[in-house]
Amino acid sequence: MTATPPDLSNSLDTRLRGRAAQVIPGGMWGHMRAAAVPTGYPQFFSGGEGARVRDVDGRDYIDFMCSWGPIILGHRHPEVEAVARAQLDLGDCLDGPTEHAVRLAEALVETIPHADWALFQKNGSDAMTTCVTLARAGTGKRKVLVAKGAYHGAVPWCSPSVLGVTAEDRAHLIYYIYNDVESLDAAVAEAGDDLAAIVASAFKHDLATHQQLPEEAFALAARAHCDRTGAALVLDDVRAGFRLNLGGSWETVGVRPDLAGYSKAIANGYPLSAVTGNDRFRAAAEQVFVTGSFWYSGAPMAAAVKVLEILARDDGPARLRAAGERFCTGVTDSAARHRFEVTMSGPPAIPLMQFADDPEAKLGEAFCQQALARGVYLHNKHNMFLSLAHTDGVIDTALSAIDDAFAALARSRSADAPARARSRT
Ligand code: PMP
């Protein structure tokens, strides 16, 4: 099967990009900015259903980004849509929270072993910033340890960009290396008696970097440092939360945090984040002033209650793992058949795809373009996400297109090879 890239010159996507460039700086912002979207990928979408998304020009793709994480049950999951719609019909943004706030906090406390309470926000950045604020408020200390290269949000204390950020914004951050106990020990020593928090991601999922699961020795060391000093162990479960373990991603290594930030998958695409905490930080959570105009809206919380119910009922994490394993094995086997070396690192439900000897992910990009032309939406630098809508049938359809994409990449490699050989002579 061959697939020629569509002519996008007069597509709605191209026209929207042109209009956006006039009124939206850079044409788009943040991780969705035009320059960050792989060449040939659509920028604009019109809808999604199950495991598929549709771009504004009407092309459908099997979606392995799941909206960069939020979609865990599939786009527009009917049971979630029904409860969210019911609240939207009554009103979403009211003079106070709806009863869903209490139901959701109860559900989280029941589901997550470390949690004695929960607070809600909108974004992962809100949740992680709230965790740091609570850690400082609860300990009266200032230093916060974060892993080098880890992403915790796009706000001054942790944004990967230093543009518009002052040194003072990060004056009390100390960096360690994820999974490296010695570097953690050194950072704790540097903090002295001023340690407020150790912040750790659910697993190492830095952009375009081989992913690593947390090592038990590292997680235990972080826990022990916090127990000894009274600092808060803060788990950033924004990206991985509910996909790996409903009780929190470090349940897999038997370590419980004091505070944890969740977002992304919590409400299957509705805007919501949460901080869960234990009773040690309850007083701090009662006293600090953290809030936002939209942090109390009802429909996302109704959706989240339903998402948790479905994930527990349908054995979500185990099924996501199985789907991820089928996908990852299929991709690496297919790559090998076409003599490419591809690794899928990290947990199978949140895999990062990398080609060997491809430091800038250019080969990865060329491959993703071939897959896109065959109706499969992948990413060459960021980890991907599986959902419960990725049934065996959907994955096998995607894998068949992916096999064709590898074949096409192999053909372009052999077409290039003589040219490269000639240019060396
Ligand atoms: N922490 C992690 C681990 C994340 O992956 C993200 C988002 N990619 C954030 C925090 C920030 O979340 P948000 O983009 O919703 O602010």
Side-chain angles (χ1 to χ4, degrees):
M1 180 180 134
T2 56
T4 33
D7 176 13
L8 296 177
S9 51
N10 196 32
S11 67
L12 180 52
D13 192 84
T14 303
R15 284 179 278 134
L16 286 172
R17 283 177 196 242
R19 284 164 56 192
Q22 304 301 311
V23 289
I24 297 176
M28 200 48 59
W29 65 97
H31 66 298
M32 301 282 178
R33 70 187 180 280
V37 175
T39 314
Y41 268 47
Q43 173 101 69
F44 295 94
F45 290 83
S46 62
E49 186 84 43
R52 290 179 166 79
V53 283
R54 174 167 291 183
D55 70 20
V56 281
D57 289 294
R59 284 186 299 266
D60 288 329
Y61 308 97
I62 299 180
D63 175 21
F64 286 95
M65 281 308 277
C66 289
S67 311
W68 297 67
I71 301 302
I72 189 169
L73 304 178
H75 293 274
R76 299 185 59 236
H77 188 278
E79 287 175 83
V80 177
E81 292 310 302
V83 294
R85 172 64 49 204
Q87 187 58 55
L88 286 171
D89 286 347
L90 293 170
D92 182 37
C93 188
L94 305 167
D95 285 354
T98 63
E99 70 168 288
H100 303 300
V102 182
R103 293 177 56 217
L104 180 56
E106 286 169 348
L108 290 171
V109 166
E110 201 171 297
T111 309
I112 300 173
H114 90 100
D116 294 317
W117 52 261
L119 298 176
F120 303 108
Q121 313 80 29
K122 283 290 110 181
N123 275 95
S125 303
D126 304 331
M128 294 314 299
T129 303
T130 299
C131 285
V132 167
T133 305
L134 291 179
R136 286 183 172 140
T139 59
K141 312 268 175 80
R142 297 177 298 176
K143 303 292 178 195
V144 172
L145 272 44
V146 290
K148 236 189 172 81
Y151 187 73
H152 298 299
V155 281
W157 74 267
C158 60
S159 163
S161 161
V162 292
L163 272 178
V165 171
T166 67
E168 288 80 359
D169 288 316
R170 299 181 183 197
H172 296 296
L173 294 189
I174 301 174
Y175 296 93
Y176 66 88
I177 297 165
Y178 197 88
N179 270 343
D180 181 330
V181 176
E182 258 177 50
S183 82
L184 182 68
D185 293 347
V188 169
E190 191 182 331
D193 61 5
D194 202 12
L195 181 63
I198 298 176
V199 179
S201 305
F203 63 95
K204 186 172 192 281
H205 46 43
D206 309 345
L207 190 70
T209 307
H210 189 84
Q211 300 197 120
Q212 284 175 21
L213 295 176
E215 281 168 19
E216 200 179 317
F218 163 73
L220 286 171
R223 184 64 272 171
H225 280 304
C226 290
D227 289 342
R228 186 178 51 77
T229 60
L233 179 58
V234 176
L235 185 65
D236 181 346
D237 227 346
V238 168
R239 191 176 307 183
F242 309 112
R243 268 196 169 77
L244 307 185
N245 191 306
L246 295 185
S249 296
W250 275 18
E251 286 297 297
T252 51
V253 281
V255 172
R256 293 188 177 150
D258 299 296
L259 299 166
Y262 291 93
S263 186
K264 295 232 186 238
I266 192 170
N268 202 47
Y270 284 91
L272 187 67
S273 61
V275 170
T276 54
N278 59 20
D279 275 336
R280 206 150 69 76
F281 288 87
R282 186 188 285 266
E286 280 169 8
Q287 289 156 13
V288 296
F289 186 70
V290 286
T291 192
S293 297
F294 301 105
W295 286 15
Y296 308 87
S297 66
M301 294 186 194
V305 172
K306 185 53 82 178
V307 168
L308 291 178
E309 187 189 309
I310 294 171
L311 288 172
R313 181 192 73 197
D314 295 351
D315 209 4
R319 280 182 50 199
L320 290 167
R321 183 184 175 88
E325 281 169 352
R326 189 179 190 94
F327 173 60
C328 292
T329 307
V331 171
T332 49
D333 286 356
S334 185
R337 267 198 300 282
H338 297 285
R339 299 179 187 282
F340 291 102
E341 199 187 319
V342 167
T343 55
M344 302 290 272
S345 62
I350 315 179
L352 175 74
M353 179 181 67
Q354 288 177 298
F355 282 70
D357 304 321
D358 187 28
E360 309 214 320
K362 287 284 165 216
L363 190 56
E365 185 177 17
F367 169 69
C368 286
Q369 287 159 354
Q370 294 290 353
L372 188 89
R374 291 164 177 79
V376 180
Y377 192 94
L378 303 172
H379 207 286
N380 63 324
K381 286 187 178 164
H382 196 281
N383 52 20
M384 295 179 273
F385 298 87
L386 276 289
S387 79
L388 289 187
H390 289 89
T391 58
D392 289 356
V394 167
I395 291 173
D396 292 349
T397 303
L399 287 174
S400 156
I402 281 170
D403 197 65
D404 289 338
F406 276 122
L409 193 67
R411 283 195 298 275
S412 64
R413 177 180 56 186
S414 41
D416 277 358
R420 271 206 307 277
R422 274 199 307 279
S423 73
R424 275 200 298 272
T425 54

